[in-house]
Amino acid sequence: MKVVAFNGSPREQGNTYFALLMVAKELEKNGIDVEIVHVGNKLIRGCLACGGCVRNKNEQCVIPGDDVNQWIQKIKEADGVLLGSPVHFAAMGSTMKSFLDRAFYVASVNGGLFRHKVGASVVAVRRSGGIPTFDQLNNYITYAEMLMPTSNYWNVIHGRAAGEVDKDDEGKQIMSVLGKNMAWLMKLVENGKGVVEEPSSERKIYTSFVR
């Protein structure tokens, strides 16, 4: 089994990276491979709402020149996904949001590419804004009908300078417990295939409250 982890920090080895490593350590102990992909230092345009991916249905965003389509396929091929972000003005980084908007929209209009994969979010923050960012990341996971493991608190770890999160003992435990629970859930999903019937996908109903 494999997990692909996306680092939304501009710094390749900032505290978001170290948080992802803490979760990855527990996953790897359970025989699960982890690949960390650095997103936050890339130039990623936001979704244009052009509908190209809806018309084409080829599992690709029509915006050229970046790695988003490659990352979509990485998620499709993986068994689990980790989304990691620092906090910028009490929210996730803009590059990470641009990537997730496009990737999850493409997935949704191509038959639910990420449906029933195991997905979790982690946030690295200096002081405050961790919970709003955590909620933002989780919105993508729930929208895609992914399966979400939990920890013993919200998945937020604190630190300022790179590596300073290692001093947050509670945060480290949160990441460790998350990794163990994620590995356990992934094994349940894997061992349940062909044994427990998977619920069928339903066509999305759209309701507008403007009359």
Side-chain angles (χ1 to χ4, degrees):
M1 289 185 287
K2 181 175 181 178
V3 167
V4 58
F6 293 94
N7 176 10
S9 172
R11 293 187 293 178
E12 185 172 3
Q13 295 192 3
N15 283 319
T16 306
Y17 171 78
F18 288 111
L20 291 170
L21 278 186
M22 292 174 191
V23 182
K25 181 179 178 181
E26 298 299 334
L27 292 167
E28 290 168 346
K29 284 181 183 178
N30 282 272
I32 298 170
D33 294 329
V34 180
E35 176 187 3
I36 297 180
V37 177
H38 193 196
V39 174
N41 67 341
K42 305 295 193 303
L43 294 175
I44 308 294
R45 288 193 65 181
C47 178
L48 300 176
C50 65
C53 59
V54 180
R55 292 188 297 273
N56 297 334
K57 286 187 167 49
N58 60 356
E59 301 182 1
Q60 293 188 9
C61 176
V62 299
I63 300 175
D66 57 36
D67 295 326
V68 169
N69 287 327
Q70 176 187 335
W71 296 337
I72 290 170
Q73 292 306 308
K74 281 184 179 291
I75 299 175
K76 179 185 174 182
E77 293 164 8
D79 303 287
V81 180
L82 272 171
L83 306 178
S85 179
V87 174
H88 295 165
F89 291 94
M92 77 172 83
S94 59
T95 302
M96 187 69 167
K97 187 177 190 311
S98 293
F99 157 55
L100 294 177
D101 282 351
R102 288 167 56 191
F104 278 75
Y105 189 43
V106 169
S108 71
V109 299
N110 281 271
L113 299 180
F114 308 155
R115 187 171 181 264
H116 291 172
K117 294 183 184 295
V118 176
S121 305
V122 299
V123 176
V125 60
R126 181 188 69 83
R127 183 172 174 84
S128 59
I131 299 302
T133 302
F134 182 52
D135 287 342
Q136 279 186 307
L137 293 169
N138 287 341
N139 285 338
Y140 295 93
I141 294 171
T142 56
Y143 174 81
E145 291 188 66
M146 298 173 77
L147 308 176
M148 190 186 302
T150 58
S151 187
N152 60 2
Y153 204 71
W154 296 279
N155 304 339
V156 179
I157 195 166
H158 290 78
R160 183 184 181 188
E164 197 170 44
V165 288
D166 196 50
K167 299 177 182 179
D168 180 2
D169 289 337
E170 183 177 2
K172 287 193 295 181
Q173 185 189 57
I174 291 166
M175 299 302 146
S176 175
V177 172
L178 174 63
K180 292 172 183 175
N181 287 343
M182 186 172 186
W184 179 66
L185 181 55
M186 289 177 67
K187 290 177 181 179
L188 288 178
V189 173
E190 183 65 23
N191 287 299
K193 291 178 180 176
V195 179
V196 180
E197 184 179 356
E198 182 180 2
S200 59
S201 178
E202 297 189 17
R203 184 178 180 86
K204 181 78 175 77
I205 296 174
Y206 293 94
T207 301
S208 172
F209 291 101
V210 178
R211 294 289 185 266

